[in-house]
Every structure is written in C-alpha cells, then in structure tokens.
Amino acid sequence: MSLLLRRSRPLLAPLVAMPLLMAPLAAQAAPATPAEMGLYTRIGAVNVCISRAAGVDFEKSVGIAGETIAQLILGQHKGEIQQVGTKALTIEELRRGAINSAVLGAAEICPKEVPADVMKKVQDAIKQQGAARPGAGAPAPATPAAPR
C-alpha cells in the first residue's frame, strides 16, 4: 500500500461518509407528525429507563435522552412539529420540550427508575392537565415543543 494512500485514508473516510449522513436531511424535511413524535418520545423514554437501570444519574439520563430527541427533530424535520404549527422551533425550545417528554415517557414506562419527587411532579401535572380538560382521559406524553 502506498504511503500516500495510508496517509490520506483518515482524511477520506469523512468525505465518503458525508453524503450518507446528509441524505436523511433532504429526504425528510417535512414537519414531524404526531406518530413520529410519539416514536421519538418513546425512544427517549426507553433510553432513560435503560440508562437508569445501568446506574446513570437521572438528570444525566434525561438530559441525554432530551438532547437526542431535540437533535433528531432539528436534523430530520428542521425543528418543525405538525402539532405546534408552521414555525420551526429553536434548539432550546426543542430541548425543553424533549426533556419533558422523556420524563413523562419514563414515568409511564419505568416509574421505578424515576425519582419519587419527580414522579410526584409528573402526577400533579397530569392531574392539573386533566382538570383543565373536562372529560379528558389521561394525557399522552407532551410533544417536545412544550416548555417546562
């Protein structure tokens, strides 16, 4: 193998991978649908559950899951969510809502992995939201656009 090829290989790898990484951006520029948001929330919640079971701090688990959801919405949907409207959300808005969604999802999927004080806040928020909507059942996890 020539010296030039061996030395240029680390430089060529990112160039070869770049089109593969950029392809999904062009393919899915539409706002995230409710079904996609449900999937993203579930993925984030499952990640919280898995990391908590592995001994990771709750705040760190939720932060990573929230950031994952926020970056996914930003990258795949340019920060747009159908349920929110036509305005693209900022990364900070996405992060706030995504963290809320990850917490709500984890409270539903793995309540034993959610600290008691957080579970109480979640239950209080669900009761408050239910009282605000007469006749409504248990609310679904919030979309990542809902500010804390």
Side-chain angles (χ1 to χ4, degrees):
M1 182 181 281
S2 77
L3 181 61
L4 178 60
L5 186 56
R6 279 186 286 187
R7 286 188 178 182
S8 64
R9 187 179 300 158
L11 299 174
L12 293 177
L15 296 175
V16 171
M18 191 60 78
L20 298 173
L21 295 173
M22 298 305 288
L25 294 177
Q28 279 202 345
T33 65
E36 289 168 325
M37 293 306 301
L39 174 63
Y40 302 156
T41 295
R42 189 103 176 146
I43 290 169
V46 168
N47 277 305
V48 171
C49 297
I50 291 168
S51 62
R52 289 290 291 152
V56 177
D57 174 71
F58 182 74
E59 292 295 323
K60 186 178 279 189
S61 296
V62 168
I64 292 169
E67 185 68 22
T68 300
I69 295 168
Q71 291 294 333
L72 183 59
I73 296 167
L74 187 64
Q76 293 296 319
H77 306 282
K78 297 184 180 177
E80 297 178 8
I81 300 171
Q82 274 184 0
Q83 296 159 300
V84 176
T86 58
K87 175 189 167 277
L89 300 169
T90 67
I91 189 64
E92 285 304 317
E93 291 170 322
L94 290 169
R95 284 178 181 141
R96 281 192 306 268
I99 287 170
N100 286 342
S101 291
V103 170
L104 290 171
E108 180 183 334
I109 296 171
C110 58
K112 292 181 181 177
E113 298 297 344
V114 178
D117 63 320
V118 175
M119 277 302 292
K120 176 153 179 29
K121 289 178 185 176
V122 167
Q123 291 166 346
D124 290 347
I126 289 171
K127 286 178 190 173
Q128 185 178 14
Q129 187 175 2
R133 297 184 313 159
T143 62
R148 264 202 230 186

